[in-house]
PDB file of all heavy atoms in Angstrom:
ATOM      1  N   ILE A 436      14.313 -27.364  -6.612  1.00 97.00           N
ATOM      2  CA  ILE A 436      13.421 -28.423  -7.167  1.00 97.00           C
ATOM      3  C   ILE A 436      13.320 -29.618  -6.137  1.00 97.00           C
ATOM      4  O   ILE A 436      12.172 -30.077  -5.891  1.00 97.00           O
ATOM      5  CB  ILE A 436      13.946 -28.889  -8.530  1.00 97.00           C
ATOM      6  CG1 ILE A 436      13.887 -27.825  -9.485  1.00 97.00           C
ATOM      7  CG2 ILE A 436      12.987 -30.102  -9.012  1.00 97.00           C
ATOM      8  CD1 ILE A 436      14.518 -28.112 -10.837  1.00 97.00           C
ATOM      9  N   THR A 437      14.467 -30.018  -5.745  1.00 98.00           N
ATOM     10  CA  THR A 437      14.533 -31.194  -4.835  1.00 98.00           C
ATOM     11  C   THR A 437      13.708 -30.951  -3.488  1.00 98.00           C
ATOM     12  O   THR A 437      12.883 -31.787  -3.122  1.00 98.00           O
ATOM     13  CB  THR A 437      15.906 -31.556  -4.463  1.00 98.00           C
ATOM     14  OG1 THR A 437      16.588 -31.829  -5.718  1.00 98.00           O
ATOM     15  CG2 THR A 437      15.923 -32.795  -3.569  1.00 98.00           C
ATOM     16  N   ALA A 438      13.850 -29.769  -2.900  1.00 98.00           N
ATOM     17  CA  ALA A 438      13.227 -29.514  -1.645  1.00 98.00           C
ATOM     18  C   ALA A 438      11.707 -29.360  -1.909  1.00 98.00           C
ATOM     19  O   ALA A 438      10.948 -29.836  -1.101  1.00 98.00           O
ATOM     20  CB  ALA A 438      13.747 -28.243  -1.095  1.00 98.00           C
ATOM     21  N   ILE A 439      11.284 -28.674  -2.909  1.00 98.00           N
ATOM     22  CA  ILE A 439       9.922 -28.494  -3.236  1.00 98.00           C
ATOM     23  C   ILE A 439       9.242 -29.792  -3.463  1.00 98.00           C
ATOM     24  O   ILE A 439       8.154 -30.151  -2.951  1.00 98.00           O
ATOM     25  CB  ILE A 439       9.678 -27.589  -4.539  1.00 98.00           C
ATOM     26  CG1 ILE A 439      10.129 -26.165  -4.189  1.00 98.00           C
ATOM     27  CG2 ILE A 439       8.279 -27.718  -5.005  1.00 98.00           C
ATOM     28  CD1 ILE A 439      10.114 -25.236  -5.474  1.00 98.00           C
ATOM     29  N   THR A 440       9.916 -30.706  -4.118  1.00 98.00           N
ATOM     30  CA  THR A 440       9.387 -32.080  -4.406  1.00 98.00           C
ATOM     31  C   THR A 440       9.322 -32.819  -3.082  1.00 98.00           C
ATOM     32  O   THR A 440       8.219 -33.571  -2.890  1.00 98.00           O
ATOM     33  CB  THR A 440      10.242 -32.793  -5.465  1.00 98.00           C
ATOM     34  OG1 THR A 440      10.284 -31.903  -6.595  1.00 98.00           O
ATOM     35  CG2 THR A 440       9.557 -34.112  -5.819  1.00 98.00           C
ATOM     36  N   MET A 441      10.309 -32.948  -2.330  1.00 98.00           N
ATOM     37  CA  MET A 441      10.357 -33.590  -1.090  1.00 98.00           C
ATOM     38  C   MET A 441       9.272 -33.150  -0.181  1.00 98.00           C
ATOM     39  O   MET A 441       8.671 -33.917   0.576  1.00 98.00           O
ATOM     40  CB  MET A 441      11.718 -33.538  -0.398  1.00 98.00           C
ATOM     41  CG  MET A 441      12.827 -34.289  -1.138  1.00 98.00           C
ATOM     42  SD  MET A 441      14.444 -33.995  -0.323  1.00 98.00           S
ATOM     43  CE  MET A 441      14.271 -34.867   1.291  1.00 98.00           C
ATOM     44  N   ALA A 442       9.009 -31.887  -0.156  1.00 98.00           N
ATOM     45  CA  ALA A 442       7.922 -31.301   0.708  1.00 98.00           C
ATOM     46  C   ALA A 442       6.579 -31.751   0.334  1.00 98.00           C
ATOM     47  O   ALA A 442       5.652 -31.635   1.162  1.00 98.00           O
ATOM     48  CB  ALA A 442       8.024 -29.773   0.753  1.00 98.00           C
ATOM     49  N   GLY A 443       6.389 -32.106  -0.987  1.00 98.00           N
ATOM     50  CA  GLY A 443       5.156 -32.577  -1.329  1.00 98.00           C
ATOM     51  C   GLY A 443       4.301 -31.837  -2.414  1.00 98.00           C
ATOM     52  O   GLY A 443       3.129 -32.075  -2.596  1.00 98.00           O
ATOM     53  N   ALA A 444       4.923 -30.860  -2.980  1.00 98.00           N
ATOM     54  CA  ALA A 444       4.201 -30.030  -3.966  1.00 98.00           C
ATOM     55  C   ALA A 444       3.768 -30.885  -5.166  1.00 98.00           C
ATOM     56  O   ALA A 444       4.520 -31.758  -5.575  1.00 98.00           O
ATOM     57  CB  ALA A 444       5.086 -28.853  -4.470  1.00 98.00           C
ATOM     58  N   ASP A 445       2.650 -30.520  -5.746  1.00 97.00           N
ATOM     59  CA  ASP A 445       2.075 -31.190  -6.834  1.00 97.00           C
ATOM     60  C   ASP A 445       2.517 -30.697  -8.225  1.00 97.00           C
ATOM     61  O   ASP A 445       2.530 -31.466  -9.217  1.00 97.00           O
ATOM     62  CB  ASP A 445       0.489 -31.169  -6.731  1.00 97.00           C
ATOM     63  CG  ASP A 445       0.029 -31.818  -5.435  1.00 97.00           C
ATOM     64  OD1 ASP A 445       0.067 -33.006  -5.337  1.00 97.00           O
ATOM     65  OD2 ASP A 445      -0.392 -31.044  -4.592  1.00 97.00           O
ATOM     66  N   GLU A 446       2.935 -29.478  -8.231  1.00 97.00           N
ATOM     67  CA  GLU A 446       3.425 -28.953  -9.518  1.00 97.00           C
ATOM     68  C   GLU A 446       4.351 -27.721  -9.190  1.00 97.00           C
ATOM     69  O   GLU A 446       4.270 -27.080  -8.193  1.00 97.00           O
ATOM     70  CB  GLU A 446       2.242 -28.457 -10.305  1.00 97.00           C
ATOM     71  CG  GLU A 446       2.547 -28.227 -11.820  1.00 97.00           C
ATOM     72  CD  GLU A 446       1.376 -28.371 -12.785  1.00 97.00           C
ATOM     73  OE1 GLU A 446       0.262 -28.837 -12.283  1.00 97.00           O
ATOM     74  OE2 GLU A 446       1.531 -28.022 -13.931  1.00 97.00           O
ATOM     75  N   ILE A 447       5.340 -27.529 -10.101  1.00 98.00           N
ATOM     76  CA  ILE A 447       6.285 -26.537  -9.914  1.00 98.00           C
ATOM     77  C   ILE A 447       6.387 -25.670 -11.139  1.00 98.00           C
ATOM     78  O   ILE A 447       6.538 -26.178 -12.290  1.00 98.00           O
ATOM     79  CB  ILE A 447       7.712 -27.111  -9.641  1.00 98.00           C
ATOM     80  CG1 ILE A 447       7.777 -28.039  -8.491  1.00 98.00           C
ATOM     81  CG2 ILE A 447       8.743 -25.897  -9.357  1.00 98.00           C
ATOM     82  CD1 ILE A 447       9.061 -28.857  -8.304  1.00 98.00           C
ATOM     83  N   TYR A 448       6.255 -24.375 -10.973  1.00 98.00           N
ATOM     84  CA  TYR A 448       6.261 -23.322 -12.149  1.00 98.00           C
ATOM     85  C   TYR A 448       7.569 -22.534 -11.940  1.00 98.00           C
ATOM     86  O   TYR A 448       7.870 -22.026 -10.906  1.00 98.00           O
ATOM     87  CB  TYR A 448       5.114 -22.438 -12.088  1.00 98.00           C
ATOM     88  CG  TYR A 448       3.803 -23.201 -12.239  1.00 98.00           C
ATOM     89  CD1 TYR A 448       2.964 -23.303 -11.139  1.00 98.00           C
ATOM     90  CD2 TYR A 448       3.378 -23.770 -13.411  1.00 98.00           C
ATOM     91  CE1 TYR A 448       1.636 -23.865 -11.279  1.00 98.00           C
ATOM     92  CE2 TYR A 448       2.172 -24.483 -13.491  1.00 98.00           C
ATOM     93  CZ  TYR A 448       1.329 -24.481 -12.389  1.00 98.00           C
ATOM     94  OH  TYR A 448       0.143 -25.111 -12.552  1.00 98.00           O
TER      95      TYR A 448
END
Side-chain angles (χ1 to χ4, degrees):
I436 296 173
T437 301
I439 290 173
T440 304
M441 289 176 66
D445 300 287
E446 198 154 351
I447 307 172
Y448 301 110

